[in-house]
Amino acid sequence: MGEQKTVWDNPAEIIRHLQPEHPVMVFAPTVLQDRARQFIAGFPGLVTYAVKSNPEEAVIQNLVSAGIRGFDVASPFEIDLIGRLAPGAARHYHNPVRSKAEIAHGIAAGIRAWSVDSASELDKLLAQVPTQVEGEGVEISPRFKLPVLGAVYDFGSKFGASPEYAAEMLQRVAARGYVPSLTFHPGTQCVDPGAWESYIRVAGEICQMAGIAVRRLNVGGGFPSYRVQGVEPDLQAIFDKIAETTAETFGENAPQLVCEPGRGICADAFALVARIKAVRDGANVFLNDGVYGGLAELPIIGNIDRVQVLTPEGRPRPGERSGRVIFGPTCDSVDRLPGELNLPDDIAEGDYVVFQGAGAYSTVTNTRFNGFGQLAHATVMALE
Ligand SMILES: *Cc1c(COP(=O)(O)O)cnc(C)c1O
């Protein structure tokens, strides 16, 4: 699609003009910038972007334009990417498990904020990481966890220490001369503000147990995107709950707040345009993209039902909607969307299904399994 228009009006215009045979990931930079500004204005602290959710260069550049000045990075690749695209921005190396070579890479890149969730990984940091970089203290944040609350996906099963263990690590961090902070991640697509409330209260208990006042409290990512019709996330309600609980828990000496949203910032700025390859015997729908491509997340966290079905002329199909089983293009039987998706009765082979809110954990997890996954990219003014 390279020689075509550089900015289209919307997905319908792309479909009408190109009738693309391969899936297209459609990006609306204005939507991304608006969302970033909403976080910056509404969140009571520093907003850092979790690069892993969508590391496209255009995403990073638009976030920098919108005023994002910090990034949550998880690997040497992401450290270098942000060093190149956003020089001077804060980089928080918040993958709590790293090889010695990865730690050395972070040190050479000038990383000043690290997280950790185990004594053995903390030993590795203490042995290698300086306490100061260019005259500023280096921060180490124990990451703690609670049983999963309100999120659709349990990150706590892989990362996070118990509150008692986090308190012990906090004491070691402070004793060794690093800046003591705390971090947690409530789990992705967390629609319940109460999850942050529980975590912040426990952060207060950890500080009391440890006898340490932390400089910063990172409340993680997990901010929801708009995936299901009629359940539009209320980000401001979450921001307000975070501010209120922090004030109640810590009073005058409240730590500075940091958040590290991925999905909440990038997901709703993209739509995935997939083509219907077949409506097999009038029933099951086969798309040219599936769980090995841009829809990798759906079996894990559920269907996106904000979908439009457009004809090859870019016109919406007006039919009554009813449930259909949707398969992806590969020959693997797991290449199927969970449950059923409501699609218009008059859908036909050659139509397009536009999945809204598809920008997180989609371009990055796209594979070339079975020779599919040739994902094209396009930029639009608006997503509908
Ligand atoms: C993945 C991740 C994030 C971003 O999560 P979202 O649910 O996309 O907001 C933030 N922090 C950490 C530590 C992560 O691993």
Side-chain angles (χ1 to χ4, degrees):
M1 298 194 0
E3 74 282 18
Q4 308 286 342
K5 274 181 79 158
T6 53
V7 182
W8 302 84
D9 289 344
N10 52 33
E13 194 197 21
I14 295 173
I15 291 168
R16 196 160 58 239
H17 281 84
L18 303 181
Q19 300 184 349
E21 238 339 88
H22 295 291
V24 186
M25 190 58 85
V26 171
F27 173 39
T30 52
V31 175
L32 182 72
Q33 291 210 20
D34 285 352
R35 181 60 61 82
R37 290 196 193 95
Q38 185 187 351
F39 266 89
I40 293 167
F43 181 76
L46 176 69
V47 179
T48 67
Y49 172 65
V51 174
K52 78 169 188 289
S53 60
N54 188 327
E56 302 261 323
E57 299 205 354
V59 168
I60 307 299
Q61 284 158 346
N62 275 281
L63 291 177
V64 170
S65 303
I68 296 287
R69 296 287 174 265
F71 294 86
D72 164 38
V73 290
S75 62
F77 176 88
E78 291 182 358
I79 289 171
D80 295 346
L81 178 78
I82 297 305
R84 181 162 59 77
L85 296 177
R91 290 171 294 178
H92 299 164
Y93 193 176
H94 279 183
N95 182 340
V97 177
R98 313 164 187 85
S99 70
K100 292 189 178 75
E102 287 169 338
I103 295 171
H105 190 102
I107 294 167
I111 295 295
R112 289 184 208 154
W114 308 72
S115 74
V116 69
D117 70 352
S118 61
S120 56
E121 290 305 297
L122 180 55
D123 289 341
K124 279 157 73 174
L125 292 184
L126 298 183
Q128 279 180 266
V129 174
T131 55
Q132 303 244 316
V133 169
E134 289 169 9
E136 276 188 52
V138 169
E139 174 186 80
I140 298 182
S141 305
R143 174 166 165 183
F144 68 99
K145 69 173 171 192
L146 302 176
V148 72
L149 299 156
V152 297
Y153 190 74
D154 183 8
F155 274 85
S157 63
K158 183 162 180 185
F159 294 124
S162 69
E164 294 73 20
Y165 202 45
E168 278 173 38
M169 286 192 281
L170 204 51
Q171 288 173 331
R172 288 183 66 201
V173 164
R176 289 287 296 266
Y178 298 90
V179 174
S181 291
L182 276 174
T183 187
F184 64 82
H185 180 44
T188 204
Q189 187 68 15
C190 186
V191 289
D192 177 11
W196 279 274
E197 180 179 6
S198 309
Y199 269 96
I200 293 167
R201 292 202 193 289
V202 172
E205 290 165 17
I206 294 171
C207 292
Q208 285 205 324
M209 264 188 272
I212 284 169
V214 288
R215 181 174 304 172
R216 300 203 292 185
L217 174 60
N218 188 318
V219 301
F223 299 87
S225 65
Y226 188 13
R227 301 174 59 84
V228 180
Q229 287 177 46
V231 192
E232 198 163 357
D234 186 351
L235 292 174
Q236 194 58 49
I238 298 174
F239 299 155
D240 292 346
K241 178 62 83 182
I242 290 170
E244 180 192 306
T245 313
T246 304
E248 277 173 23
T249 305
F250 293 94
E252 299 274 287
N253 296 320
Q256 298 160 28
L257 291 170
V258 184
C259 66
E260 46 190 22
R263 173 192 311 285
I265 285 188
C266 69
D268 293 337
F270 288 79
L272 177 68
V273 177
R275 191 165 206 187
I276 297 177
K277 295 173 60 158
V279 184
R280 196 171 59 182
D281 289 339
N284 297 340
V285 173
F286 282 67
L287 297 180
N288 66 353
D289 203 2
V291 309
Y292 288 98
L295 300 170
E297 255 207 332
L298 274 48
I300 306 169
I301 76 164
N303 275 338
I304 288 177
D305 80 346
R306 286 206 306 130
V307 298
Q308 290 92 37
V309 176
L310 303 178
T311 67
E313 295 74 41
R315 280 195 294 276
R317 286 277 179 204
E320 280 281 304
R321 291 194 174 219
S322 58
R324 300 276 187 143
V325 174
I326 313 286
F327 290 104
T330 71
C331 296
D332 189 338
S333 56
V334 308
D335 193 1
R336 175 198 158 156
L337 301 192
E340 293 185 347
L341 196 62
N342 282 329
L343 295 179
D345 289 340
D346 50 347
I347 53 167
E349 181 174 331
D351 282 357
Y352 291 87
V353 182
V354 181
F355 291 85
Q356 298 291 339
Y361 310 105
S362 52
T363 55
V364 263
T365 48
N366 182 54
T367 75
R368 299 307 305 266
F369 180 46
N370 246 190
F372 296 105
Q374 187 177 322
L375 187 64
H377 293 262
T379 305
V380 290
M381 303 294 290
L383 290 163
E384 291 193 37

